[in-house]
Amino acid sequence: MTLCDCNLQYLKNAYKEIYNLIMKIGKNESVMNSVTVEKAKNGDLTLKYYDGSNFYYIHSNYNPRKEAEKFIGQNIINDIEYYIVFGFGLGYHVVELLKYEFVKNVFVFEFNNEIFLNALKTIKIASILEDERVHFFLIENIEVFNRCLQNILNRIPIDNYKIIYHEPLIRSIPPKMKNIRDLLLEFKILDSTFNNNENYNILKDNFESNILTYDKPINELFNCYRNVPAIIIAAGPSLEENIEKIRKLRSDIIVIAVSRVSKNLLQNGIIPDYIAVSDPFPIVQEHLTNISSKFNIPLVALSTAYKGVINEWSSTKYLAFQKNFNLAEEYAKGNSLETLEVGGSVSTLAVEVAIKFGCNPIIFVGLDLAFTGNKVHAFEGSVIHNYNNLIETTNYLGEKIYTNHSLNIFRRGIERKIENNKHITFINTSLRGAKIEGTIPMHLDEIIKLL
């Protein structure tokens, strides 16, 4: 039997669905010519890929093993047990990842059939996939990807996993699955660690500036509002229908607004007690221009938020130091500060802050976590036209609505916070937004009467 035959026999026994898929696409193998197998300088095999205009190597053409060792060394996090790996190729990086004993499960996705077919002819697949920690997926379309990824995220702890992006393999995702490639790039941007990729230097630059210009750590406000109600005002589409009602809330309720809607609130006569900001990019400054010169509103900023905002904010600036960003963790440890589980979005930052404040109940306004009415954000004209990249969920009315993986990850993070803080009552006024488990659905009118 050839190496390919042995691999196919293994897949037939261990990964029946993938075997069937390979049998189906094998008929078209003759027209596939984007991938060639070459010997690297050290004698190992590597893959050369042609994307229609340029050639590039999937693995190093000098020493693939050494490259994989360095790559995983940059991405591994001590004590993180679950890893989602986007890209398999010839598996060098997966082999390196499995050398760490604390790694409990590795979920590997390959998106390029031709690359996988070449792997079947080149390496002994079973030597990697037989490891009981490995779960392998060969993806043929975004629907399969959505289903597989969602099943994984529903099974693993939200605070105990890391996504590893193999850049050349993501780049090699074929044009017919561009929607998946775009989605992975979105994930990468939302990845709260950003370590060892092009965004790390941006975060580092922001962080190093912010620790010189902030006023106080957010920790000084922990438990300062014990049992005081809090309103989290997010930028979901449902905010539009509630903004007039917010003014009717009694004045002693703590209002924490996300940066994106701060100007809209102020224009409607609503002055938040705190404005939360987490975006590391300059665009966030557009949402906050001139606010601090006209209103004395404290800013709650993530330690890696865009430095320009923190530099120019004239009111009190509180800095929150997040988990899973090495510089923030080191700084917090050196200053005896507790780090926060911020969850990757400004809304999840605001929820975490309200919990740490000791607020109870915590009420969500505009926290749709979905494209309610096909809209993306409140007070903006952008709407959803293409549903191919979206996933279905339900709202509190039992209706089908659409969201994306990023928002769904945020939802699960908030649900985890709710689960870990059962002494706090969480109320959601975004009844047509995604259902957040553990919350009490309630119209804002009802809340106003009760508080």
Side-chain angles (χ1 to χ4, degrees):
M1 293 178 69
T2 64
L3 178 59
C4 185
D5 290 334
C6 291
N7 283 327
L8 287 173
Q9 186 62 47
Y10 167 75
L11 291 176
K12 186 175 183 179
N13 295 330
Y15 286 88
K16 185 73 175 189
E17 287 187 12
I18 293 178
Y19 171 80
N20 291 336
L21 178 59
I22 291 297
M23 291 297 98
K24 183 173 71 174
I25 65 177
K27 297 175 183 178
N28 300 318
E29 182 181 357
S30 58
V31 300
M32 297 180 181
N33 54 11
S34 299
V35 182
T36 54
V37 179
E38 294 186 1
K39 270 193 177 182
K41 300 293 184 183
N42 71 332
D44 287 334
L45 296 175
T46 187
L47 297 176
K48 189 176 183 179
Y49 188 78
Y50 180 64
D51 64 6
S53 57
N54 297 293
F55 288 95
Y56 62 90
Y57 286 95
I58 298 296
H59 305 288
S60 170
N61 61 330
Y62 288 92
N63 192 326
R65 293 177 194 274
K66 188 174 181 180
E67 176 196 53
E69 181 181 357
K70 180 180 179 181
F71 174 67
I72 293 301
Q74 291 172 334
N75 280 275
I76 198 81
I77 298 178
N78 287 339
D79 300 326
I80 292 293
E81 297 175 321
Y82 299 85
Y83 288 83
I84 299 172
V85 181
F86 293 136
F88 179 73
L90 296 182
Y92 291 109
H93 52 297
V94 179
V95 171
E96 288 299 323
L97 183 58
L98 293 170
K99 291 180 180 179
Y100 291 84
E101 293 184 359
F102 60 80
V103 173
K104 185 177 291 185
N105 279 282
V106 179
F107 303 91
V108 185
F109 289 81
E110 179 55 67
F111 305 93
N112 190 305
N113 293 333
E114 187 180 0
I115 285 178
F116 189 63
L117 286 169
N118 277 274
L120 293 177
K121 300 173 183 177
T122 306
I123 62 172
K124 186 180 178 183
I125 293 289
S127 65
I128 302 174
L129 302 190
E130 276 181 342
D131 191 308
E132 62 182 10
R133 297 172 292 170
V134 175
H135 310 269
F136 182 77
F137 306 89
L138 182 61
I139 301 300
E140 56 182 319
N141 56 56
I142 195 166
E143 289 75 23
V144 173
F145 176 60
N146 284 338
R147 184 176 68 251
C148 294
L149 183 60
Q150 196 59 52
N151 287 339
I152 293 167
L153 294 175
N154 286 336
R155 290 161 48 194
I156 62 179
I158 192 73
D159 56 352
N160 193 20
Y161 79 91
K162 184 176 189 320
I163 296 176
I164 295 179
Y165 305 86
H166 193 286
E167 299 289 352
L169 285 165
I170 292 175
R171 185 179 169 190
S172 72
I173 295 175
K176 67 178 182 179
M177 289 196 285
K178 180 181 180 297
N179 48 7
I180 294 180
R181 185 169 67 241
D182 293 344
L183 192 61
L184 296 186
L185 293 176
E186 180 185 351
F187 285 171
K188 190 175 178 224
I189 292 172
L190 290 165
D191 190 338
S192 62
T193 64
F194 287 104
N195 288 304
N196 301 303
N197 61 46
E198 67 271 17
N199 290 306
Y200 181 79
N201 288 333
I202 296 174
L203 298 188
K204 181 175 181 288
D205 184 46
N206 287 334
F207 177 85
E208 291 176 345
S209 174
N210 292 342
I211 60 174
L212 298 177
T213 57
Y214 81 103
D215 296 313
K216 302 175 183 180
I218 192 64
N219 308 63
E220 292 192 9
L221 296 177
F222 287 3
N223 296 313
C224 285
Y225 300 99
R226 199 169 273 283
N227 294 321
V228 176
I231 297 278
I232 306 294
I233 304 181
S238 67
L239 174 60
E240 293 182 16
E241 64 193 45
N242 281 317
I243 194 162
E244 292 290 333
K245 301 171 186 176
I246 295 172
R247 285 202 298 258
K248 299 177 183 178
L249 290 164
R250 70 184 205 218
S251 60
D252 61 335
I253 293 175
I254 300 300
V255 176
I256 305 173
V258 305
S259 53
R260 192 179 198 105
V261 295
S262 298
K263 286 186 176 180
N264 301 99
L265 296 177
L266 294 169
Q267 288 166 3
N268 282 273
I270 301 164
I271 303 177
D273 294 285
Y274 298 92
I275 294 176
V277 59
S278 65
D279 197 319
F281 303 109
I283 192 172
V284 72
Q285 205 158 18
E286 298 176 8
H287 305 144
L288 298 168
T289 303
N290 298 325
I291 288 180
S292 66
S293 64
K294 299 177 181 178
F295 301 90
N296 184 23
I297 304 174
L299 188 72
V300 176
L302 200 60
S303 68
T304 50
Y306 178 57
K307 62 183 181 181
V309 171
I310 286 78
N311 285 338
E312 296 179 10
W313 199 261
S314 56
S315 302
T316 306
K317 298 170 283 193
Y318 292 95
L319 217 57
F321 298 94
Q322 70 267 45
K323 293 182 180 179
N324 297 326
F325 181 68
N326 61 331
L327 297 180
E329 289 183 334
E330 291 166 9
Y331 184 91
K333 183 177 181 180
N335 290 274
S336 301
L337 299 172
E338 180 183 347
T339 52
L340 278 69
E341 294 275 4
V342 297
S345 81
V346 66
S347 295
T348 52
L349 168 64
V351 174
E352 177 77 352
V353 165
I355 292 170
K356 294 299 184 183
F357 280 2
C359 295
N360 192 9
I362 296 174
I363 302 156
F364 302 147
V365 178
L367 192 63
D368 296 56
L369 300 175
F371 304 113
T372 308
N374 292 336
K375 293 192 67 173
V376 179
H377 295 110
F379 309 110
E380 296 180 14
S382 54
V383 296
I384 297 296
H385 296 290
N386 187 346
Y387 295 87
N388 291 336
N389 296 342
L390 304 183
I391 55 178
E392 292 182 6
T393 186
T394 57
N395 62 21
Y396 289 90
L397 307 177
E399 299 167 338
K400 180 178 73 174
I401 56 174
Y402 290 92
T403 186
N404 61 26
H405 283 295
S406 302
L407 295 174
N408 222 30
I409 289 170
F410 300 154
R411 178 186 59 80
R412 291 185 62 246
I414 291 172
E415 288 176 345
R416 181 61 60 89
K417 293 180 189 298
I418 293 171
E419 176 68 21
N420 292 336
N421 293 277
K422 292 185 176 179
H423 62 289
I424 299 175
T425 299
F426 293 86
I427 302 172
N428 194 358
T429 66
S430 304
L431 305 189
R432 295 195 300 127
K435 183 178 180 180
I436 303 174
E437 294 295 335
T439 60
I440 299 171
M442 192 178 296
H443 290 287
L444 190 54
D445 289 329
E446 299 176 67
I447 296 170
I448 293 169
K449 293 176 183 177
L450 291 174
L451 292 180

